């Protein structure tokens, strides 16, 4: 993409972030399901319009790569939501402050992810063997994710950074609404929201260690990687309020995500082998996996995962009701 397109895109993303901030500042009540639904549709619609623009104005496979990357990043981000729910419950964050906490934490993680994306793009352009590392890491992550089973409260533990912040920062124990700073006995103090924001931001960055190599398996265009991540993250906050209570019903989420990561990891390794002029391993021909195939596989995996989860959770719920009777 040309420098002009980059500048206009970044300006547009910053405008959306600023608009979000205005909405949060004006809101005087907790986010409702109706609010969340409206904003999720808004951000998914924005991503759809952006994809249409790529299909119309950008040559090649940019549009398809963005759609595949956006769906992958958004689906991987859903797993983040469970950790967000745990963090909010663990710190007993007031409902009125949750929107603000998620906004700041996600914006911080967007900035950090941008650094990771640029570093990844530079590494790939400098040496094609980086694909082998990314591919092997994704396969390892897929196996680890599959073995972990269902999400639970142990998925979040305070790390050394959070514990260090508690010791160093002038923190008070109680919240003051949605304020980050308050006064106690005439002294300016930070509220626990600062710690929660740090926890949200770091959790998002940790998840990026999986998701960014995954999207580089679908496209090596830094512009597509950056915009797909940005649109996925911008809609994540509203998705938290919409499906936070439904996450426990998607019991096979980890299985579905592990299948997707393994698929993209194998795809990356195959592309690295092609780059090394290895098209066959013995009698096995290494196929070229196009973006249409990748998109179809990702969508089919998510659909099967969701339907199987809902069927299983529905059966479990009916069995509990029968046993209760």
């Amino acid at each position: 993409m040309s420098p002009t397109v980059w500048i206009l895109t970044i300006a547009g993303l910053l405008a959306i972030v600023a608009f979000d901030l205005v909405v949060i500042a004006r809101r005087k009540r907790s986010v409702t399901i109706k609010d969340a639904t409206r904003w999720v549709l808004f951000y998914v619609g924005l991503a759809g319009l952006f994809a249409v623009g790529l299909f119309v104005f950008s040559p090649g496979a940019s549009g398809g790569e963005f759609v595949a990357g956006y769906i992958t990043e958004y689906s991987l981000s859903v797993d983040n939501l469970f950790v967000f729910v745990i963090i909010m419950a663990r710190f007993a964050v007031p409902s009125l402050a949750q929107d603000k906490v998620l906004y700041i934490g996600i914006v911080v993680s967007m900035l950090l992810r941008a650094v990771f994306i640029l570093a990844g793009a530079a590494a790939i352009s400098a040496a094609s063997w980086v694909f082998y590392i990314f591919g092997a890491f994704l396969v390892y992550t897929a196996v680890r994710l599959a073995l972990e089973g269902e999400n639970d409260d142990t998925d979040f533990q305070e790390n050394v950074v959070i514990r260090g912040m508690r010791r160093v920062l002038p923190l008070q124990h109680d919240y003051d609404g949605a304020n980050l700073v308050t006064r106690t006995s005439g002294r300016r103090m930070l509220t626990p929201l600062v710690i929660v924001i740090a926890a949200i931001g770091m959790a998002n960055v940790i998840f990026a260690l999986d998701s960014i190599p995954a999207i580089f398996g679908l496209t090596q265009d830094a512009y597509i990687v950056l915009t797909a991540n940005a649109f996925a993250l911008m809609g994540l906050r509203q998705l938290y309020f919409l499906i936070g209570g439904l996450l426990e019903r998607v019991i096979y989420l980890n299985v579905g995500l592990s299948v997707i990561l393994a698929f993209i990891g194998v795809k990356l390794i195959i592309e690295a082998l092609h780059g090394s002029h290895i098209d066959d391993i013995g009698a096995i021909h290494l196929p070229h996996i196009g973006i249409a195939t990748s998109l179809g596989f990702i969508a089919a995996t998510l659909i099967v995962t969701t339907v199987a989860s809902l069927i299983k959770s529905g059966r479990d719920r009916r069995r509990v009701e029968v046993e209760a009777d």
Side-chain angles (χ1 to χ4, degrees), residues 172 181-189:
Q172 74 165 18
V181 181
T182 187
R183 283 190 174 276
T184 302
S185 302
R187 183 187 177 192
R188 190 179 295 272
M189 301 282 286

Side-chain angles (χ1 to χ4, degrees), residues 83 93 164 187 222 227 238 240 245 274 314 323:
V83 177
V93 180
R187 183 187 177 192
T227 51
Q238 291 76 18
Y240 166 86
H274 284 317
E323 291 175 353

Side-chain angles (χ1 to χ4, degrees), residues 84-99:
F84 292 174
V85 171
I86 295 172
I87 291 173
M88 294 294 188
R90 184 77 56 84
F91 290 95
V93 180
S95 58
L96 185 61
Q98 291 182 8
D99 197 19

Side-chain angles (χ1 to χ4, degrees), residues 225-288:
V225 175
L226 182 66
T227 51
N229 265 272
F231 278 104
L233 285 176
M234 284 191 297
L236 185 60
R237 191 179 87 253
Q238 291 76 18
L239 196 63
Y240 166 86
F241 293 103
L242 180 61
I243 70 170
L246 302 177
L247 287 176
E248 293 183 358
R249 298 183 62 185
V250 191
I251 56 178
Y252 295 131
L253 177 62
N254 281 356
V255 176
L257 294 181
S258 67
V259 170
I260 291 173
L261 289 176
F263 169 78
I264 298 175
V266 171
K267 178 179 183 292
L268 267 175
I269 293 173
I270 291 175
E271 290 184 4
L273 290 170
H274 284 317
S276 301
H277 307 290
I278 300 174
D279 297 325
D280 300 278
I281 298 180
I284 301 175
H285 176 70
L286 300 177
H288 171 71

